[in-house]
Amino acid sequence: MKIGENMSKFNINPLMLPDKDMGAIFIDCEATGLSEPTYPISIGISCENGFESQCLIKPDIRWPNFQITEGAYQIHKIDNNELMQYGYSINDVALWLSDIAKMNPVFFSDNPAYEHMWLKKLYLNTHFPIQVGAVQNHIMNIAQHIPDITQKT
């Protein structure tokens, strides 16, 4: 699937890479729910320079019991049909994140524990699971770094 083929209100500049002067990167995953089994259904990044990219994730056949909980649907308004029609493969999404991590290896999140969990699930079923640490080990809690980030502006 090529960039731009998946037109959905949830796909914003899907799989696009930011400029090298992106500054801080903020990452956010949406998922099927908060309790197991839970899987990522959307990943978005927002950069300090204003660049944003977000894409839906097509459910992988190796994800058992994939089901979006009613609570997750009420929050995100993403359903299985939307994911199947407009989602990108886990390999495409993992490669995109790995390419961003090569440019800037530190990501900020409001909830790193959940981002770690969902990224691990994403990477472990890809063609390159060894790279899970390239993104997962570099997610920082935004609350601990607000003074560092605001001093730059």
Side-chain angles (χ1 to χ4, degrees):
M1 193 167 308
K2 294 182 181 171
I3 294 172
E5 283 184 11
N6 287 354
M7 292 300 112
S8 164
K9 63 183 176 185
F10 300 106
N11 286 332
I12 302 165
N13 297 320
L15 307 182
M16 300 279 297
L17 297 175
D19 293 331
K20 292 186 181 196
D21 63 344
M22 67 191 95
I25 302 174
F26 305 90
I27 189 167
D28 186 42
C29 299
E30 309 304 350
T32 57
L34 296 177
S35 55
E36 291 292 342
T38 179
Y39 302 97
I41 58 175
S42 173
I43 295 180
I45 63 160
S46 180
C47 300
E48 195 173 2
N49 70 358
F51 176 83
E52 293 181 348
S53 183
Q54 177 180 330
C55 59
L56 294 175
I57 302 168
K58 188 174 286 195
D60 190 76
I61 60 171
R62 293 163 290 199
W63 289 351
N65 304 316
F66 182 92
Q67 182 177 0
I68 299 172
T69 65
E70 181 62 29
Y73 176 77
Q74 291 302 320
I75 293 169
H76 308 305
K77 303 296 188 218
I78 300 172
D79 62 28
N80 283 345
N81 292 333
E82 186 95 19
L83 296 175
M84 293 308 292
Q85 185 172 0
Y86 300 112
Y88 288 88
S89 75
I90 60 171
N91 286 310
D92 288 343
V93 176
L95 180 61
W96 168 66
L97 288 173
S98 293
D99 286 346
I100 294 170
K102 289 174 191 170
M103 298 168 70
N104 184 347
V106 178
F107 292 77
F108 292 96
S109 168
D110 61 346
N111 197 332
Y114 278 111
E115 312 309 359
H116 281 221
M117 177 178 63
W118 291 317
L119 290 172
K120 183 175 181 180
K121 288 189 178 195
L122 175 83
Y123 274 88
L124 288 178
N125 289 122
T126 65
H127 295 304
F128 38 94
I130 196 74
Q131 294 184 12
V132 69
V135 175
Q136 184 188 17
N137 293 334
H138 300 286
I139 300 176
M140 311 299 241
N141 188 331
I142 187 65
Q144 295 172 348
H145 295 276
I146 288 176
D148 297 338
I149 293 169
T150 56
Q151 287 176 3
K152 289 182 180 180
T153 59

